[in-house]
Amino acid sequence: MAMNKPYHAKQHSKTSYSFSIYLILIITCPILFVLFQIKFLQTPPSSSPLPPWAFFNQRQKVIINTTFNNLTKELMVTKKLLRESVIFLPLKDLRYSSTAQQGHTWFMSSMYDTHEEGEVQYQRFPSNASKGKVLCLKGNNTHDGAWNSYALAWPEYLPYNYTLKKGLTFVSYNHYNYENIWHGLSSMVPFVAWRIKNNQCSRTPTRWILYHWGEVRIKMGPWLKSLMEATFGEPLHIENLSNNNATCFEDSVVMRHNEGGMSRQNRIQVYDLLRCKARIYCNVSKREMPAIGMTMFMRVNNGPRSFKNESAVIGIFDKECKKMEGCHFILAYSNNLTFCEQVRVMSLTDILISPHGAQLTNMFLMDKNSSVLEFFPKGWLKIAGVGQYVYHWIASWSGMKHQGAWRDPDGDSCPYSDDDKRCMSIYKNGKIGYNKTYFSDWARRVLNEVRIRKKEELGSKKSSHVTSTTCYCS
């Protein structure tokens, strides 16, 4: 009986697998051939047949160029949007008109200052604080600061129709004015302090931009201008801006708080530098130490806040000076002197006698530890406010000794109560009387103090007189 061969399942599976592969190849090859032909027909004809790798490189370049062109278009659109997104805000923010000198002030109110304890408050553009943005200004209105404006922009994406100014720019905000030497100096001191603090002694500003309540100013008083030229070592360039187009600055420093926040030590350092620079600028030479200089430094002759009997007051102090060996009396009127003449007079002065007024600002040009005697008309104490003490402050800040103030108890009467602020219009420019006994005793006491001080300085060879041909931060 014949036997059937056993059934081998594995052999059958192997045969089926081989057949499947064969079938796939039969189907796939024609498809690949057709696809290749289609791709070939879509490719632009070449003058010579390209090998496979050259064809691949050519296709890769096409893709890269297309991608690059698309990215370039996107970047151009982005740059256009960034330039158009630069927003100009009013320099004078009327929302803060009631607190114009406080906080951020109404000048550039959206900006925050950089301020370390005891140091000057300032803004720097570009900086980390500005995220690398530069300052742009627009407008030159001299009557309403709300019509002038500012903005920040990245250097690569400045606004349209802009002008970029190279070099260092100082932008000053002054709540008062640049003609009065006290108010003007107060707005300049922080720039000198910033220069010292940031080791920028070798850099001088290419230009100055001046604002008062956001309004453009294109000049400052001659005394202040000369002092700044002496301090920075070159002529002062005050720039006027375009009315319509934006002006942007490569590097700028903005001050809007005057000397606010500075420590006494830092202020003294600034005034030391100002004194030294002014004396070198004016070629002021050293004087003999034992001599005592007493100067009556007057405002305009017979003008506001002058003495009712000027010759009598002059006689009192001149007489006391003559009693002191080595004392020299000087009578000078600030309005008749140039800047350098005032520097020279102050360099000879150890005791400054003057009515309250801007001319007293010159006190920092005296030797340190010199003395100041100040005089007021009737009525100032009650209603003049803190402003009547500014020369106490500058005496402290510049290393001088304010020896007190004499306040005339007599003068024009006011129809209102003594503490009514309307009386200030009557008292502000009143004339000043005198008290012979008080003035004589006052002069003798101060003269004696100065005599002792100068004798001690001479003995210890520690004169405070600045006569070096070089100054700190030169």
Side-chain angles (χ1 to χ4, degrees):
M1 179 172 138
M3 294 182 64
N4 293 331
K5 292 183 178 181
Y7 176 74
H8 298 284
K10 289 184 179 179
Q11 184 178 5
H12 177 75
S13 299
K14 184 175 181 181
T15 303
S16 299
Y17 179 73
S18 299
F19 178 77
S20 298
I21 292 175
Y22 177 76
L23 184 63
I24 290 171
L25 289 173
I26 292 295
I27 297 171
T28 303
C29 286
I31 293 174
L32 290 173
F33 178 78
V34 171
L35 290 174
F36 179 81
Q37 291 298 319
I38 293 172
K39 190 70 176 177
F40 178 78
L41 291 173
Q42 290 177 340
T43 304
S46 177
S47 58
S48 60
L50 295 174
W53 62 86
F55 173 77
F56 176 77
N57 288 340
Q58 186 183 57
R59 298 306 303 168
Q60 189 176 38
K61 289 179 181 178
V62 171
I63 294 171
I64 291 173
N65 289 337
T66 301
T67 304
F68 177 78
N69 290 335
N70 289 337
L71 288 174
T72 301
K73 290 178 181 179
E74 290 181 11
L75 285 173
M76 293 299 292
V77 171
T78 302
K79 183 175 181 179
K80 181 176 181 292
L81 291 174
L82 286 171
R83 295 183 72 180
E84 291 176 347
S85 66
V86 176
I87 300 175
F88 281 85
L89 301 173
L91 274 172
K92 183 171 72 172
D93 191 338
L94 297 177
R95 293 177 301 171
Y96 301 100
S97 59
S98 61
T99 57
Q101 295 178 268
Q102 302 172 19
H104 299 318
T105 78
W106 63 3
F107 182 81
M108 293 177 60
S109 63
S110 67
M111 299 289 102
Y112 287 87
D113 289 333
T114 296
H115 185 213
E116 302 172 20
E117 186 175 356
E119 301 290 350
V120 66
Q121 302 178 63
Y122 68 94
Q123 297 171 24
R124 181 82 182 272
F125 305 100
S127 64
N128 291 334
S130 73
K131 296 181 173 59
K133 294 181 179 181
V134 299
L135 176 66
C136 299
L137 298 171
K138 185 188 292 187
N140 57 13
N141 194 292
T142 59
H143 301 291
D144 188 350
W147 287 96
N148 300 320
S149 56
Y150 71 101
L152 300 186
W154 281 291
E156 301 84 359
Y157 309 110
L158 297 176
Y160 290 105
N161 299 321
Y162 72 91
T163 299
L164 180 63
K165 297 288 186 177
K166 299 288 186 178
L168 177 62
T169 301
F170 281 171
V171 181
S172 172
Y173 167 75
N174 191 330
H175 194 72
Y176 298 98
N177 62 69
Y178 297 96
E179 299 293 330
N180 178 287
I181 66 176
W182 159 247
H183 294 306
L185 179 62
S186 296
S187 65
M188 296 294 107
V189 161
F191 290 105
V192 182
W194 175 86
R195 194 174 183 228
I196 295 173
K197 175 186 180 297
N198 291 279
N199 298 317
Q200 299 284 338
C201 294
S202 61
R203 295 193 67 190
T204 55
T206 305
R207 67 193 61 81
W208 296 71
I209 310 294
L210 307 181
Y211 288 104
H212 166 248
W213 294 3
E215 302 161 2
V216 172
R217 296 292 180 264
I218 57 174
K219 66 177 182 177
M220 59 176 63
W223 182 96
L224 183 62
K225 186 172 184 287
S226 296
L227 179 61
M228 290 300 100
E229 289 178 348
T231 303
F232 290 96
E234 59 183 43
L236 211 66
H237 174 61
I238 302 174
E239 190 157 317
N240 196 7
L241 301 175
S242 168
N243 187 37
N244 298 315
N245 298 330
T247 302
C248 302
F249 304 97
E250 179 186 46
D251 186 9
S252 59
V253 177
V254 179
M255 301 290 180
R256 55 181 183 170
H257 284 289
N258 292 352
E259 302 173 58
M262 290 178 62
S263 67
R264 180 174 181 269
Q265 180 180 356
N266 286 338
R267 295 175 202 252
I268 286 177
Q269 187 179 36
V270 170
Y271 282 105
D272 283 349
L273 177 62
L274 292 172
R275 180 189 309 111
C276 180
K277 291 285 190 178
R279 290 186 175 185
I280 291 175
Y281 177 81
C282 296
N283 195 28
V284 171
S285 58
K286 184 177 180 179
R287 66 187 174 98
E288 292 300 321
M289 272 298 298
I292 298 175
M294 175 182 277
T295 299
M296 282 198 67
F297 201 52
M298 314 293 280
R299 294 164 61 88
V300 180
N301 188 16
N302 201 35
R305 265 174 272 155
S306 59
F307 290 101
K308 297 174 183 176
N309 190 339
E310 190 172 277
S311 60
V313 177
I314 292 171
I316 294 170
F317 287 100
D318 185 27
K319 181 179 179 180
E320 295 303 323
C321 180
K322 288 176 179 177
K323 293 178 182 179
M324 178 70 68
E325 182 180 357
C327 182
H328 298 279
F329 184 83
I330 300 172
L331 174 63
Y333 293 88
S334 60
N335 63 306
N336 292 332
L337 301 178
T338 65
F339 170 74
C340 280
E341 287 171 341
Q342 293 180 68
V343 173
R344 190 165 292 107
V345 168
M346 291 301 110
S347 72
L348 299 171
T349 301
D350 297 294
I351 303 172
L352 181 62
I353 302 165
S354 183
H356 177 85
Q359 75 284 348
L360 271 168
T361 306
N362 283 276
M363 73 171 70
F364 75 88
L365 296 168
M366 300 189 294
D367 290 354
K368 288 172 73 173
N369 295 315
S370 294
S371 296
V372 179
L373 283 63
E374 188 176 6
F375 301 80
F376 285 90
K378 174 188 174 181
W380 277 62
L381 184 60
K382 287 187 177 181
I383 57 179
V386 296
Q388 63 188 298
Y389 300 107
V390 293
Y391 300 110
H392 284 258
W393 303 339
I394 193 174
S396 173
W397 299 339
S398 59
M400 305 301 161
K401 293 183 177 180
H402 196 287
Q403 298 281 10
W406 186 78
R407 298 173 182 274
D408 193 346
D410 302 315
D412 295 335
S413 59
C414 177
Y416 312 107
S417 62
D418 290 344
D419 57 354
D420 193 312
K421 292 185 177 181
R422 288 176 291 181
C423 292
M424 195 59 199
S425 61
I426 298 173
Y427 297 148
K428 182 178 181 180
N429 294 321
K431 296 294 185 70
I432 305 170
Y434 72 97
N435 183 316
K436 182 177 179 180
T437 302
Y438 185 92
F439 287 8
S440 297
D441 292 342
W442 195 11
R444 282 194 297 271
R445 175 176 60 80
V446 175
L447 275 165
N448 192 52
E449 285 185 16
V450 172
R451 179 185 62 81
I452 295 172
R453 173 180 64 80
K454 291 179 79 71
K455 184 178 180 179
E456 291 175 348
E457 288 178 352
L458 186 63
S460 62
K461 297 182 180 180
K462 292 182 179 179
S463 170
S464 62
H465 188 63
V466 182
T467 55
S468 173
T469 56
T470 59
C471 307
Y472 177 75
C473 201
S474 293

